Amino acid sequence: MTKKQAFHVAVVGATGAVGEQMLKTLENRNFPIGKLTLLSSKRSAGKKLVFKGEEFTIQEATPESFEGVDIALFSAGGSVSLELAPEAAKRGAIVVDNTSAFRMDANTPLVVPEVNEKDLLEHNGIIANPNCSTIQMVVALEPIRQAYGLGRVIVSTYQAVSGAGVTAIEELKTQAQAMLNGETPEANILPVKALDKHYPIAFNAIPQIDKFTDNGFTYEEMKMINETKKIMHMPELEVAATCVRLPVVSGHSESVYIEVEQDGVTVEDLRTLLASAEGVVLQDNPAEQLYPTPLDATGKNEVFVGRIRKDLNNDKGFHLWVVSDNLLKGAAWNSVQIAERLVKLGLV
Amino acid sequence: MTKKQAFHVAVVGATGAVGEQMLKTLENRNFPIGKLTLLSSKRSAGKKLVFKGEEFTIQEATPESFEGVDIALFSAGGSVSLELAPEAAKRGAIVVDNTSAFRMDANTPLVVPEVNEKDLLEHNGIIANPNCSTIQMVVALEPIRQAYGLGRVIVSTYQAVSGAGVTAIEELKTQAQAMLNGETPEANILPVKALDKHYPIAFNAIPQIDKFTDNGFTYEEMKMINETKKIMHMPELEVAATCVRLPVVSGHSESVYIEVEQDGVTVEDLRTLLASAEGVVLQDNPAEQLYPTPLDATGKNEVFVGRIRKDLNNDKGFHLWVVSDNLLKGAAWNSVQIAERLVKLGLV
């Protein structure tokens, strides 16, 4: 059997904030596309998008849309994935799903290529792309785990509105302009559009991302906790998360406290390790005020790490500041990267 | 000796962001002022300000300015306090100093009235007002320490630009407008005006507040660590901090992880405790999406606490979200509150 040289790729949710970045990333990476099918809900069907100079009309996604598709990148919400990802897989496509629908399913690998590429070998037609805030954290933590062990993680996030979609970006900008004009901002989208209560995000911080679960943590926080354990294959890892939305357009930041298992690890050890870690860019020099910020990380694929400090009370404790573009490594780039690895591993 | 009914109050740094709030707070609290003297650097001398409908001309602060002054509220930078606070004290004034100049001085009490009012009795003419981010945290933690003990604190902050003064507020607004217009923002103030490198704060997050110390923590982070131990009289307390500046005008937020000493404490125990704690307003109801935000806290004197959760791995671990107006409880209100307590205790 000769190896395929080009693939039929479908993008589901092509008009969303992540879908747009998926197309840009496929273009930038020159992904070997033989045929491209752009799909969406009924509402967006008929719209036109340009890919590599060629115009494509978006079609409504149905089970039949996936006939002949090799790779289907889903980012159109959990309910669309729940309904159509199995249909796509049934028709022979490998699905890379950016929603939370299958992430904790025991039969679905949850993959960040720098961390657990080998889990791709166990796929059953669907591969889940983790939550944005989880991805960037595990990329920074995996090299540390491998070298020194990892016993504990406490993270507080600083998350951009683009994680909540195009309408949240618009709301931030509209509110910011209103407040600069001295007007009272209107809030209709954040923290969760479907819920009753909305808070302004411009010049504010909202300590709620996604709905609340019964234990008082939000789903976003539980995603970080559960997905981290699954991706790192450490069900026993102690992870805690507090997730906060900021008036930032793109780029999630994370203040991460970790405890390693080995004694005597130094800040220089971690810097040396992370400076050569896959997918990581070390930006850590206090003397030159060098550290990552979300504005600087926007548009880049890597995970940026800085502010590495040893805890003053615990020799095994360290503090890190981890930043990445939530639409790229947190979503579109991680999905396309998975697709690239599927090709490299001969799985598609 | 008859008790004084009204006091000669001097405000040093009357034109700054905190000075302005000090005057508003003295007015709102109807503080018993017999005579008011407004002082500043040479640069701002001659400017006029209105207090309770009366116009005051700001005078240049000199040692002689403090003759006859009962209470001097300082907020004009550390170097002004270092030079003039001892001069004021020598002339019989009690200084409440909002800068970091004397905070860690062993002979100077560092006071948050809800926590360590009794330390006022030990004053030697100068009382230090703690760092804004420290104040709101200890107000929330002290009732917990009293009831259940406190063994560990790990905090990540979400701090407003007003902590860096009026020019930082202006810079945020100018940058935000430029970026909304599609222009590239100019950065000249944050994170630290006197340093070489400046980052835009609009639609960004900067993980540096104040300069870096030799251990990789910033001075702001070390203030939170050292001041918390001093105020709570717990030199052994394990405190760690990561301080981050946000595009928020007013209101600092904090994601705080704590470990209590007692077993079996519940979230409801903490809620009940904080609901009746001095200076605290509990805003914690996930079912109603109730939690504090900096926009809601702006203009209010209290410390707002929400998002109380028990750690999923540690029975003694809890997560809290603590918000307060950094110019009020974090600065002006805490200073005026100290002045009120001095009066109440007959110390002035």
Side-chain angles (χ1 to χ4, degrees), chain B residues 19-48:
Chain B
E20 188 190 332
Q21 295 301 324
M22 280 180 171
L23 291 173
K24 270 195 200 167
T25 304
L26 288 167
E27 199 167 306
N28 292 342
R29 297 289 300 182
N30 205 17
F31 190 84
I33 296 180
K35 184 178 176 186
L36 181 66
T37 300
L38 301 188
L39 302 169
S40 74
S41 63
K42 199 167 186 172
R43 191 167 42 82
S44 296
K47 284 190 187 169
K48 290 175 196 310

Side-chain angles (χ1 to χ4, degrees), chain B residues 275-291:
Chain B
S276 63
E278 190 189 354
V280 174
V281 174
L282 182 76
Q283 293 185 324
D284 190 20
N285 187 343
E288 296 185 353
Q289 292 179 264
L290 179 67
Y291 37 71

Side-chain angles (χ1 to χ4, degrees), chain A residues 109-128:
Chain A
L110 182 65
V111 176
V112 177
E114 292 87 345
V115 180
N116 61 337
E117 180 188 82
K118 66 182 185 319
D119 289 349
L120 291 173
L121 302 171
E122 314 295 325
H123 84 83
N124 298 299
I126 302 176
I127 294 148

Side-chain angles (χ1 to χ4, degrees), chain A residues 114-332:
Chain A
E114 292 87 345
V115 180
N116 61 337
E117 180 188 82
K118 66 182 185 319
D119 289 349
L120 291 173
L121 302 171
E122 314 295 325
H123 84 83
N124 298 299
I126 302 176
I127 294 148
N129 192 75
N131 183 47
C132 45
S133 47
T134 310
I135 293 176
Q136 66 184 69
M137 185 168 79
V138 297
V139 168
L141 296 190
E142 175 64 10
I144 299 172
R145 184 196 70 77
Q146 282 185 23
Y148 306 115
L150 193 61
R152 182 163 208 189
V153 179
I154 299 174
V155 56
S156 296
T157 72
Y158 301 69
Q159 295 185 231
V161 297
S162 57
V166 173
T167 54
I169 301 175
E170 284 310 315
E171 180 160 273
L172 166 58
K173 291 181 177 174
T174 305
Q175 288 174 350
Q177 189 60 68
M179 292 174 77
L180 288 170
N181 296 346
E183 299 156 12
T184 304
E186 235 188 88
N188 302 305
I189 305 287
L190 292 170
V192 180
K193 194 180 172 189
L195 293 181
D196 288 343
K197 204 159 167 181
H198 299 105
Y199 289 88
I201 185 63
F203 306 109
N204 204 12
I206 305 177
Q208 180 187 1
I209 299 182
D210 211 329
K211 297 176 185 175
F212 282 98
T213 71
D214 288 340
N215 64 8
F217 287 78
T218 60
Y219 278 94
E220 183 81 358
E221 289 158 355
M222 292 311 299
K223 285 175 198 168
M224 287 197 79
I225 292 168
N226 294 325
E227 293 180 16
T228 298
K229 296 178 188 188
K230 177 168 175 177
I231 298 164
M232 300 183 93
H233 293 276
M234 295 183 77
E236 75 291 0
L237 184 65
E238 296 189 358
V239 188
T242 299
C243 292
V244 181
R245 189 76 75 186
L246 294 197
V248 167
V249 176
S250 272
H252 286 354
S253 308
E254 297 173 347
S255 170
V256 190
Y257 170 76
I258 59 166
E259 287 172 6
V260 299
E261 289 186 329
Q262 198 171 305
D263 284 318
V265 179
T266 66
V267 167
E268 268 320 309
D269 289 338
L270 293 192
R271 283 184 182 149
T272 304
L273 186 71
L274 290 169
S276 63
E278 190 190 355
V280 173
V281 174
L282 182 76
Q283 293 185 326
D284 190 21
N285 187 342
E288 295 185 354
Q289 293 180 262
L290 179 67
Y291 38 71
T293 71
L295 266 190
D296 285 338
T298 300
K300 295 170 188 154
N301 282 343
E302 295 87 355
V303 173
F304 300 86
V305 183
R307 298 293 332 268
I308 304 175
R309 289 152 288 154
K310 180 169 272 214
D311 191 69
L312 300 175
N313 303 109
N314 182 349
D315 178 61
K316 294 177 176 176
F318 291 89
H319 304 270
L320 299 87
W321 176 250
V322 179
V323 182
S324 194
D325 188 326
N326 53 301
L327 294 182
L328 294 179
K329 184 57 185 168

Side-chain angles (χ1 to χ4, degrees), chain A residues 158-161 172 176 179-180 200-206 245-249 251 253 293-295 321, chain B residues 157-162 168-169 171-173 175-176 179 190 199-207 209 244-252 294-295:
Chain A
Y158 301 69
Q159 295 185 231
V161 297
L172 166 58
M179 292 174 77
L180 288 170
I201 185 63
F203 306 109
N204 204 12
I206 305 177
R245 189 76 75 186
L246 294 197
V248 167
V249 176
S253 308
T293 71
L295 266 190
W321 176 250
Chain B
T157 72
Y158 301 68
Q159 294 184 230
V161 297
S162 57
I169 301 174
E171 181 160 272
L172 166 59
K173 291 181 178 174
Q175 288 175 349
M179 292 174 77
L190 291 169
Y199 289 88
I201 185 64
F203 306 109
N204 204 12
I206 305 177
I209 299 182
V244 181
R245 189 76 75 186
L246 295 197
V248 166
V249 176
S250 273
H252 286 354
L295 266 190

Side-chain angles (χ1 to χ4, degrees), chain B residues 12 22 72-82 85-86 94-103 108-111 125-131 331 334-335 338:
Chain B
V12 188
M22 280 180 171
L73 305 176
F74 273 70
S75 187
S79 57
V80 173
S81 291
L82 278 173
I94 301 186
V95 171
V96 182
D97 181 28
N98 192 49
T99 78
S100 62
F102 299 96
R103 285 183 193 148
T108 304
L110 182 66
V111 177
I126 302 176
I127 294 148
N129 192 76
N131 183 48
N334 198 69
S335 289
I338 288 172

